[in-house]
Amino acid sequence: MSTKVRAQDISRLHAAGQYSRLLAYGNKIDSLRGEEALLVADAYFRHKNPGKAEDILYKVIKRGYTTEEAYWQMAQVLLAQEKWVEALEYTEKALKYDLRNYTYLKTRAGILLQLGKNREAEAEYRMLIKLRPGDESLYWLAYQAMAEQEDYRRGKAFLLQHLSKFKTPGFQNNAYDALIRTYLYTLKMPDSAYYFIKKWQNATGISNENLSAEILVLTRKGNFTQAMGLIDAHKSQIKMTNLGVLFDEIDGGSDFALQVYYHPGKKEYTAFVMDSEKQYFQGKIHWKTTPDRGSKVRIELPRQLEERTYAINPANYHEVRAKFLHIARAINNLE
């Protein structure tokens, strides 16, 4: 087959979406021109084989086919394999051909966020917002970059400033949920959190997401009866597990957190411990103070025939224990 005929055949098959037939050229890359090799690499990429696509592109680029298309295609196959450092390198190379390419710039910002370069990512997203002020995803990504810096106060101010930019339900839910969690857990201002729950419900209607947030806030405010009434009134809208609905989250410090689920039908609660690696364990919780290590919580795991012990900062021990027992008593109608 002549070079011209082969090139026409590859272009025709790719244009027709017959990618599986292009895979036959995967071992003939050395005899293909750069543009045809890119089409073959794309066929492998579409067939969920980014590793083979990367091999092809590497050969093509190494022999001198250093075009914007080759660099950008390489960046995409590297991203698919979560090779963030290499993907950033090739995205930068593609950007040299088109310094204001929105897709390239947004991709670079996303890679920086994946690499933990959160300040740089935030700066990139703020610059992109100036280019595309109507793209609500940019505002959410900029907030995420701030949250990754654990700069929740500045993140809260940013969300409040740009709350009107979030127009679709998905992004609205994300923004309001982030605001409420900041007010509830970071700033410890449950009344402000409750105010924004009502704004959320007015903006998007009552949903599982904002009802679940309302339950958490009411519980934190100590309004257990109101929280239980809300669950009973909206059983069809609130997402239920076999354990019921998430009733409260109690921060135990850096080592663990407690989650309490309430089952409206059984009128009972189930408690979980979440450790620092975000693994959940269910069992009977024991509270204990020790002279050597301070205070601790022990959770028995009867199915695994083992125990796990989590140290609590002595300054937090009584507060965490009191919150948990307060909830348990309220659910069991002991108060």
Side-chain angles (χ1 to χ4, degrees), residues 257-301:
L258 295 175
Q259 287 193 334
V260 182
Y261 283 80
Y262 168 66
H263 197 292
K266 299 177 182 178
K267 302 294 183 184
E268 64 183 24
Y269 70 89
T270 304
F272 282 88
V273 166
M274 182 181 75
D275 68 12
S276 57
E277 297 178 355
K278 296 188 176 180
Q279 298 185 62
Y280 289 87
F281 303 99
Q282 179 188 0
K284 187 176 181 181
I285 292 178
H286 299 270
W287 302 89
K288 184 179 181 182
T289 57
T290 59
D292 54 339
R293 293 185 58 198
S295 307
K296 58 173 69 171
V297 58
R298 189 177 83 248
I299 181 164
E300 293 179 357
L301 308 172

Side-chain angles (χ1 to χ4, degrees), residues 91-317:
T91 301
E92 295 278 12
K93 289 181 177 181
L95 266 168
K96 289 180 179 179
Y97 290 86
D98 187 356
L99 294 174
R100 293 182 67 82
N101 186 297
Y102 177 75
T103 301
Y104 298 171
L105 291 168
K106 190 174 182 180
T107 299
R108 181 172 68 180
I111 297 171
L112 290 170
L113 197 59
Q114 288 289 346
L115 290 172
K117 298 183 177 182
N118 303 312
R119 289 186 181 278
E120 293 177 49
E122 179 190 342
E124 291 276 307
Y125 285 125
R126 286 183 178 275
M127 180 268 292
L128 285 166
I129 285 170
K130 293 179 181 179
L131 294 177
R132 296 281 181 90
D135 187 344
E136 61 188 328
S137 71
L138 296 174
Y139 297 91
W140 177 244
L141 290 165
Y143 167 76
Q144 285 188 306
M146 293 178 223
E148 288 295 328
Q149 299 170 57
E150 299 186 355
D151 196 345
Y152 298 109
R153 289 178 182 272
R154 196 161 57 88
K156 177 205 60 139
F158 179 84
L159 287 177
L160 288 174
Q161 181 184 356
H162 300 292
L163 201 53
S164 63
K165 299 294 183 180
F166 300 104
K167 300 185 183 301
T168 60
F171 282 113
Q172 281 183 323
N173 289 343
N174 288 344
Y176 277 110
D177 185 68
L179 267 178
I180 289 159
R181 287 183 176 276
T182 300
Y183 277 118
L184 186 62
Y185 297 119
T186 306
L187 302 179
K188 301 187 186 305
M189 298 171 63
D191 289 334
S192 295
Y194 194 73
Y195 169 79
F196 281 100
I197 283 171
K198 292 306 173 185
K199 286 201 68 172
W200 183 1
Q201 291 173 346
N202 288 334
T204 65
I206 293 177
S207 66
N208 168 55
E209 290 87 352
N210 52 48
L211 283 171
S212 297
E214 186 172 1
I215 290 164
L216 291 174
V217 173
L218 287 171
T219 304
R220 188 56 55 91
K221 285 163 62 73
N223 298 341
F224 300 112
T225 302
Q226 190 177 347
M228 291 175 188
L230 191 68
I231 295 170
D232 289 332
H234 296 279
K235 286 180 183 176
S236 62
Q237 289 177 276
I238 296 175
K239 183 179 179 181
M240 290 277 182
T241 70
N242 60 336
L243 297 172
V245 62
L246 182 61
F247 201 66
D248 200 8
E249 296 176 319
I250 304 172
D251 183 8
S254 60
D255 290 331
F256 79 99
L258 295 175
Q259 287 193 334
V260 182
Y261 283 80
Y262 168 66
H263 197 292
K266 299 177 182 178
K267 302 294 183 184
E268 64 183 24
Y269 70 89
T270 304
F272 282 88
V273 166
M274 182 181 75
D275 68 12
S276 57
E277 297 178 355
K278 296 188 176 180
Q279 298 185 62
Y280 289 87
F281 303 99
Q282 179 188 0
K284 187 176 181 181
I285 292 178
H286 299 270
W287 302 89
K288 184 179 181 182
T289 57
T290 59
D292 54 339
R293 293 185 58 198
S295 307
K296 58 173 69 171
V297 58
R298 189 177 83 248
I299 181 164
E300 293 179 357
L301 308 172
R303 291 183 182 178
Q304 293 88 347
L305 299 175
E306 63 173 303
E307 294 181 359
R308 294 177 184 267
T309 301
Y310 300 89
I312 308 177
N313 184 323
N316 298 336
Y317 174 78

